[in-house]
Amino acid sequence: VYHSGPQEFGTTTRNYKNIQVKQLSIREKFLFQKLPITDILNHDIVIINGNIRYLSNITLLVLCASLRVKTIWWGHLKSANGSYFWMKLRLFVSRLATNILFYTEREALIAKAKYNHPTFKTHYMSNGLDLENIRRFRKDYTPEQRSIDVLFCGRFTKKSNIGGLIAAINSITTPLRVVLIGKSHNDQTAYTAHFKHHHNIEILDTKTDEEELSVYFNSAKLFVYPGSAGVSVIHAASYGVPVLIHDQWDKHMPEASIARDYGSGQTYS
């Protein structure tokens, strides 16, 4: 059970089926989906997204536990900008699941060591990308042969802090070529108007085709994610592009730890 739209999945397997369901908003903080319960319970294993703001996910987990249907609770230990209260509540609820699947090894280790999560049911998936596909397109990193000075690839949301990137770029007097990938429902001119005119700015729509994306990653000297970084850091590092992110680790998604733990990038304060 996953609540994101199909546009966020990219290429899916042939057996993938997206089911649209109605949902009710509760005080604009919680959501309840009208799930096809009978159809869900007919499966051998039910994977439930660990976002407890979806109250229907908790209801489904309790129902599965009562009927002895095997479940996997899949999600973060602590999301970017999330509070420790919600993290501990999510951990408490997840104990009803047959198994818990975190995004990264670091999260699983912390859950077991610091929060006494059951070792036998706590696992991780090393959330990442199709590296075999990336290896097909990746080119050697030679910065002097690359034409994009700064690359950003991710969703244009508040957490991305595009405004912070614009301010940083504008403080540089040397003309730069900057490419931002991920524009969705935003007006391109609203962003380009804030950049100083001596910079060459390209703002592109969201892209999911790896071959198309590889053209930009293979042309980039530096990848910058000014907000709450996540899987985008893995994407850039997989192409061998140096990564620059901020050093407030509590405000990053779990995948950003690759820059700290494996030397794939640098941080700024």
Side-chain angles (χ1 to χ4, degrees):
V1 179
Y2 198 85
H3 55 267
S4 294
Q7 73 277 5
E8 297 181 34
F9 286 107
T11 303
T12 57
T13 66
R14 286 177 294 177
N15 294 326
Y16 166 77
K17 182 173 69 172
N18 182 53
I19 301 174
Q20 299 292 331
V21 297
K22 293 181 179 180
Q23 63 183 26
L24 172 68
S25 175
I26 304 172
R27 294 181 177 272
E28 299 184 351
K29 287 184 177 293
F30 301 96
L31 292 164
F32 195 95
Q33 294 178 314
K34 187 178 180 182
L35 301 172
I37 296 295
T38 302
D39 181 50
I40 291 173
L41 295 178
N42 283 331
H43 290 79
D44 296 324
I45 300 174
V46 178
I47 302 175
I48 302 176
N49 179 267
N51 186 343
I52 59 173
R53 295 184 188 276
Y54 277 74
L55 301 181
S56 47
N57 287 1
I58 301 175
T59 303
L60 178 61
L61 180 61
V62 172
L63 185 59
C64 287
S66 301
L67 297 175
R68 299 185 182 278
V69 176
K70 293 181 179 179
T71 53
I72 297 174
W73 182 266
W74 171 45
H76 297 145
L77 175 64
K78 180 179 178 294
S79 59
N81 299 317
S83 71
Y84 283 97
F85 168 79
W86 288 107
M87 181 196 73
K88 291 177 180 178
L89 182 58
R90 189 162 50 243
L91 282 173
F92 176 77
V93 172
S94 71
R95 289 176 181 268
L96 287 173
T98 312
N99 288 285
I100 299 100
L101 188 62
F102 288 111
Y103 277 35
T104 64
E105 180 181 17
R106 183 180 181 84
E107 291 174 291
L109 291 173
I110 292 174
K112 289 185 284 189
K114 189 173 181 179
Y115 298 103
N116 298 315
H117 231 47
T119 300
F120 70 92
K121 65 190 300 181
T122 303
H123 311 278
Y124 65 94
M125 62 181 295
S126 291
N127 191 35
L129 302 162
D130 184 354
L131 297 183
E132 288 299 323
N133 201 22
I134 290 175
R135 289 190 187 101
R136 291 173 52 213
F137 305 117
R138 174 176 169 168
K139 295 181 180 179
D140 291 338
Y141 179 77
T142 308
E144 57 269 20
Q145 296 177 2
R146 298 195 166 203
S147 60
I148 298 175
D149 296 297
V150 176
L151 174 67
F152 167 88
C153 183
R155 285 187 272 186
F156 278 45
T157 64
K158 183 178 180 180
K159 289 196 299 184
S160 299
N161 190 24
I162 300 297
L165 179 59
I166 292 174
I169 296 296
N170 283 342
S171 68
I172 300 172
T173 56
T174 304
L176 299 175
R177 183 188 176 197
V178 181
V179 176
L180 311 179
I181 303 174
K183 179 176 70 70
S184 181
H185 302 295
N186 299 292
D187 181 7
Q188 177 172 333
T189 58
Y191 287 103
T192 54
H194 289 86
F195 283 99
K196 292 187 176 178
H197 296 301
H198 63 277
H199 295 305
N200 179 7
I201 308 299
E202 296 176 54
I203 299 180
L204 308 175
D205 289 333
T206 299
K207 300 180 185 298
T208 57
D209 181 75
E210 195 61 52
E211 185 172 9
E212 187 178 4
L213 283 167
S214 69
V215 174
Y216 298 96
F217 281 105
N218 287 325
S219 300
K221 299 176 183 176
L222 178 68
F223 180 87
V224 179
Y225 204 105
S228 300
V231 74
S232 296
V233 173
I234 299 177
H235 205 173
S238 298
Y239 277 97
V241 181
V243 172
L244 183 63
I245 58 177
H246 65 71
D247 61 0
Q248 300 176 58
W249 293 106
D250 276 355
K251 295 184 178 180
H252 284 305
M253 305 300 277
E255 301 88 346
S257 62
I258 188 175
R260 173 184 55 194
D261 299 339
Y262 298 97
S264 301
Q266 295 291 324
T267 60
Y268 63 90
S269 300

